[in-house]
Amino acid sequence: MTLKKINPTKTKSWKKLKTHFKEIENEEIKNLLSSRPSNEDFNLKWNDFNVNISKNRIDNTTLNLLIELANECDLKDAISKQFNGDSINETEKRAVLHTAVRTDGNEKINFNGLDIVPSILETRKQIKSFTNDVISGELKGHTGKSFTDIVNIGIGGSDLGPVMIVEALKHYSSGLKPHFVSNVDGDHVLETIKSLNPETTLFIIVSKTFTTQETISNANTIKEWLVSKLDKNAISKHFAAVSTNVSEIKKFGINSKMVFSMNDWVGGRFSLWSSVGLSISLAIGYDNFRKLLSGAHKMDKHFQKTEFKNNIPVILALLSVWYNNFFKCETEAVIPYTQYLNRLPAYLQQAIMESNGKSVDRSGKVVEYQTGNIIWGDTGTNSQHAFFQLIHQGTKLIPCDFIGFKKPLFKENTQHNKLMSNFFAQTEALMTGKSEKTVVDELKKSGLNESEINLLKTFKVFKGNRPTNTFLINQLTPESLGSLVAMYEHKIFVQGIIWNIYSYDQWGVELGKQLASKVLKEIEDQKISNHDSSTNSLLKTYLSNQ
Ligand code: F6P
C-alpha cells in the first residue's frame, strides 16, 4: 500500500495554525515560558534522554494544533505502512525497512509474505565473525600479518553514516585504525594510503550499486597500489565488499567469503545499521555495534508506539514544520556539545537534505509551500567562536538543537562543567537576550560617558527570542548514539509525511552525475561540445592549462 496524498495546507489545522501564528508571532519565549501553567508537556523524558522544548515560540495551543495537523495528514497510517514494509518509496517502487535491520530478533517482520528477520540475523552473524576474526588477528593479510588498519571506500550513505559513528565512538575503539576514502579527488585517496602499510591494511568497498564513480575509481586506484606493493593474489585477502551487485564484486576479484549483502529496502543514507556499518563494527567491536543497533531499535519502538504528544521524533518534526512554514525559517542548526559528534551535522545534511529537498508532492504537483530545510552546524564550544554571532544578533531566525551529555567519557575529565555551563548559558542567552536598559547600566558601570554610551548601546543589545531544543542525555554511548540518530531519522520521515513529499528517493543527484560523465569524455578527448558559453569557456581554460 502506498502513502496517502494529503496537501497539508488544505487541512483545517493548517488554517487554524495560520491564525494562531499571528497571535504568537511577536510573543517572547521568556514570557510564554513563565505563563505556562506547567512545563511538563515541554520536557519529554525517555530512557536517559531529556528533550526540553520549552525554549520555543509555542504554547499549548501550538502543540495541540500541530498534533491535529499530524492527525489530519494521517501520520499514524504512514508510520504503520513504513514499518509494515509497504512500498512507500513509490518512485523507486521500494519498501523502506532500515528499521528492520536493527531488530532485536524477537519479532517477525514480513516483507512480500516472508519473514526477513532470519536473514537479517544471518548477515549479523557474518559481520560478527568477520569482525572478531579481524580484531583477534586470526584473519591475516597476504603476507601472513594481522590487520592494523581498515579503510572504508564509499561515498554518501556508504561513507557519511559510518564515518560519523566511528568518529563519535572512537573512545570505544577496538584497536583497529579506521580510515575513510570517499571523494573522487585522487589526492584524497593517495594522501590516505601514503602512510598505510599494504601488508596490514584491509579495504572495504561499500557501494550498494558497485557502479558509483567515486567509489569504483578509488577502489581501482587502491587495487593498483596494493598489487604494485604486494602482488595480484593479495586482492582476495585485502578487499571486502558490501554491495547488492554480486557480478561486479566478482569481477573486481573479491573473495566470496568477504562479501556482505545489502537489501534494496534499505536506502543508502539510512544504511549504517546494515552491513554498510561493517567498518563501524570493526572499529568499535561487534558488541558495541550491536549496542548501537539496540539503541536505535528502542527509539523505533518509542516512535511506533508513543502517542504523538510524548513522541520525541514527532514533536521535533512538528516544531520544525512550525518554524519552516510559519516563521519562514530556512535553516536549522545542530550544535553537539561534544567534540566526538563533530561529523553529526555533515551526516544529517545528507540524511535531511537528500530526503526532504523536494519540490514536487506525492501527487506529482509542484508544491506551493516550503519543504526541506537547510541543516548546518558544528560542535560547541567551537561554534560559539565562529558563527554564533549570527545566531545571536543576525537578521535570520535559526532554530537550534543543542545536544549535551551529563557525563563525559574520561573519568579524569575536569572540564566537563565548563563545557556544559556554555551549553546551558547559550540557550538561555539566545532566549533572554540583553535589553537596552541592561546594556546602558553595564556601560555606565564601566565608566563610559553618555555620548559614548549612546554610540555603543545598540551594538550591544541582544533581541533574544531565538528558539532552541535542548537534548540532555546521560552519556555518549553506542546505545544513546543509536537512539539519537534514529530519532533524527524518524523526524525526517514525519516531516516528509506532513509536507506530502517522498523522502526516500533522491532524483536530484542524477543530473549532475550524467553531465559529469559527458564532460569527462570531452576532457579526455580534448573536444569541447556544445555547452553554454560560460561552461565552454571554463572548459577551454581548463584544457589550455593541461
Ligand atoms: O548521493 C546519491 C547516492 O545514491 C546516495 O543516496 C548513496 O548513499 C550514494 O549515492 C552512494 O551510492 P552507492 O552506495 O550505490 O555507491
Side-chain angles (χ1 to χ4, degrees):
M1 283 215 288
T2 54
L3 292 172
K4 292 184 180 170
K5 299 167 172 54
I6 300 164
N7 181 339
T9 63
K10 302 282 182 257
T11 58
K12 285 192 199 121
S13 42
W14 191 278
K15 279 165 206 135
K16 287 191 221 164
L17 278 163
K18 264 172 116 175
T19 315
H20 172 66
F21 172 69
K22 286 193 191 115
E23 293 155 14
I24 218 162
E25 182 179 16
N26 298 315
E27 288 283 343
E28 296 276 329
I29 302 173
K30 55 186 177 211
N31 298 336
L32 289 165
L33 187 63
S34 54
S35 67
R36 284 174 203 142
S38 139
N39 273 299
E40 195 97 321
D41 291 348
F42 299 80
N43 194 22
L44 308 171
K45 286 192 177 135
W46 173 80
N47 285 355
D48 64 349
F49 276 51
N50 226 295
V51 180
N52 193 303
I53 56 162
S54 60
K55 293 190 180 81
N56 275 292
R57 294 170 75 162
I58 54 170
D59 61 12
N60 284 87
T61 310
T62 327
L63 277 181
N64 291 338
L65 288 175
L66 286 168
I67 290 167
E68 228 177 283
L69 175 67
N71 287 329
E72 276 193 86
C73 293
D74 212 348
L75 176 60
K76 219 173 187 176
D77 171 74
I79 296 174
S80 89
K81 281 178 177 154
Q82 165 159 317
F83 281 88
N84 283 341
D86 291 357
S87 268
I88 61 164
N89 175 359
E90 226 182 296
T91 64
E92 294 183 332
K93 297 196 168 48
R94 283 180 188 162
V96 178
L97 279 170
H98 50 275
T99 48
V101 288
R102 46 210 197 201
T103 176
D104 61 6
N106 300 321
E107 55 190 344
K108 279 191 175 172
I109 303 172
N110 287 315
F111 173 65
N112 278 346
L114 209 78
D115 179 15
I116 54 174
V117 172
S119 82
I120 290 169
L121 299 184
E122 202 45 51
T123 308
R124 252 189 226 169
K125 246 199 210 159
Q126 196 198 353
I127 296 175
K128 181 178 179 179
S129 85
F130 186 75
T131 302
N132 291 343
D133 287 352
V134 177
I135 295 174
S136 68
E138 202 164 299
L139 194 78
K140 300 202 188 314
H142 182 60
T143 57
K145 293 189 177 163
S146 306
F147 294 109
T148 56
D149 293 70
I150 50 165
V151 180
N152 187 89
I153 312 166
I155 195 162
S158 301
D159 167 70
L160 286 161
V163 75
M164 180 274 287
I165 301 280
V166 166
E167 176 67 17
L169 298 178
K170 67 177 170 201
H171 188 74
Y172 302 85
S173 165
S174 68
L176 291 170
K177 212 166 161 228
H179 309 263
F180 291 83
V181 169
S182 52
N183 203 325
V184 76
D185 175 3
D187 288 346
H188 184 195
V189 59
L190 293 172
E191 191 60 45
T192 309
I193 56 177
K194 86 175 183 198
S195 56
L196 291 175
N197 178 355
E199 291 181 89
T200 57
T201 306
L202 175 70
F203 298 95
I204 308 155
I205 310 174
V206 187
S207 176
K208 196 167 157 181
T209 53
F210 220 80
T211 56
T212 304
Q213 187 200 46
E214 290 88 342
T215 304
I216 302 309
S217 307
N218 286 331
N220 282 327
T221 298
I222 290 174
K223 187 173 165 182
E224 268 175 42
W225 172 81
L226 189 80
V227 171
S228 75
K229 300 275 179 190
L230 302 175
D231 72 62
K232 220 175 152 210
N233 297 325
I235 298 170
S236 64
K237 295 260 172 97
H238 288 258
F239 277 98
V242 179
S243 184
T244 49
N245 193 340
V246 186
S247 64
E248 283 303 312
I249 295 173
K250 217 170 161 195
K251 269 195 227 155
F252 193 90
I254 292 167
N255 180 342
S256 60
K257 288 196 189 114
M258 310 259 266
V259 174
F260 296 79
S261 63
M262 283 176 81
N263 297 95
D264 74 358
W265 35 259
V266 177
R269 54 191 173 275
F270 300 95
S271 64
L272 71 92
W273 323 98
S274 70
S275 44
V276 168
L278 184 62
S279 57
I280 303 175
S281 180
L282 289 163
I284 61 171
Y286 180 79
D287 287 349
N288 283 324
F289 179 61
R290 195 59 202 82
K291 286 179 191 158
L292 178 83
L293 301 189
S294 151
H297 178 72
K298 285 180 184 153
M299 180 54 79
D300 294 342
K301 292 293 153 205
H302 165 79
F303 175 56
Q304 239 183 320
K305 300 198 161 145
T306 312
E307 55 177 349
F308 292 164
K309 103 183 214 305
N310 296 316
N311 193 314
I312 297 171
V314 172
I315 294 296
L316 294 175
L318 293 172
L319 284 175
S320 187
V321 168
W322 175 237
Y323 289 118
N324 187 59
N325 296 89
F326 295 89
F327 281 90
K328 310 288 179 214
C329 298
E330 297 223 320
T331 83
E332 270 173 28
V334 177
I335 323 284
Y337 273 66
T338 162
Q339 200 50 34
Y340 291 113
L341 287 182
N342 69 77
R343 295 301 304 260
L344 182 68
Y347 162 79
L348 289 175
Q349 281 177 335
Q350 187 203 17
I352 295 173
M353 288 153 76
E354 197 165 90
S355 299
N356 286 337
K358 314 283 165 65
S359 50
V360 172
D361 72 12
R362 291 200 288 268
S363 309
K365 289 200 194 88
V366 173
V367 295
E368 286 165 355
Y369 46 87
Q370 288 290 312
T371 63
N373 22 26
I374 298 162
I375 292 294
W376 58 290
D378 197 356
T379 56
T381 58
N382 293 8
S383 49
Q384 292 174 202
H385 296 270
F387 53 75
F388 265 49
Q389 166 65 41
L390 185 143
I391 302 182
H392 279 289
Q393 284 190 317
T395 52
K396 294 176 174 61
L397 186 69
I398 301 165
C400 302
D401 280 358
F402 277 70
I403 304 167
F405 296 88
K406 290 190 202 162
K407 288 195 242 164
L409 292 185
F410 282 90
K411 277 203 291 298
E412 313 77 26
N413 182 345
T414 53
Q415 298 171 202
H416 196 62
N417 287 343
K418 288 184 188 153
L419 173 75
M420 292 308 282
S421 58
N422 277 280
F423 173 82
F424 296 114
Q426 286 295 333
T427 60
E428 189 178 354
L430 284 164
M431 173 181 76
T432 353
K434 197 182 210 180
S435 69
E436 190 175 309
K437 184 180 171 322
T438 314
V439 171
V440 171
D441 287 349
E442 272 182 14
L443 291 174
K444 267 186 198 158
K445 263 196 203 145
S446 73
L448 262 59
N449 64 35
E450 211 180 314
S451 72
E452 285 170 324
I453 290 174
N454 282 339
L455 255 179
L456 206 53
K457 66 180 183 191
T458 44
F459 299 101
K460 294 199 140 216
V461 167
F462 288 65
K463 279 207 257 164
N465 215 15
R466 266 68 171 161
T468 55
N469 294 318
T470 303
F471 300 78
L472 193 54
I473 303 164
N474 198 33
Q475 198 171 30
L476 179 61
T477 61
E479 186 154 1
S480 65
L481 182 62
S483 301
L484 183 74
V485 176
M487 176 197 83
Y488 276 111
E489 286 183 344
H490 296 314
K491 174 185 171 188
I492 294 167
F493 169 68
V494 175
Q495 287 175 293
I497 294 304
I498 305 289
W499 288 325
N500 192 28
I501 53 175
Y502 288 120
S503 297
Y504 294 114
D505 59 18
Q506 56 285 314
W507 300 108
V509 299
E510 294 303 321
L511 176 62
K513 271 200 230 170
Q514 277 171 6
L515 254 177
S517 68
K518 184 172 168 248
V519 172
L520 176 62
K521 177 138 191 4
E522 289 173 17
I523 291 175
E524 283 172 348
D525 296 347
Q526 306 244 336
K527 257 190 220 150
I528 304 304
S529 72
N530 296 332
H531 296 274
D532 58 274
S533 58
S534 161
T535 312
N536 271 339
S537 120
L538 285 166
L539 281 168
K540 279 180 191 149
T541 312
Y542 177 69
L543 282 179
S544 69
N545 285 344
Q546 283 199 331

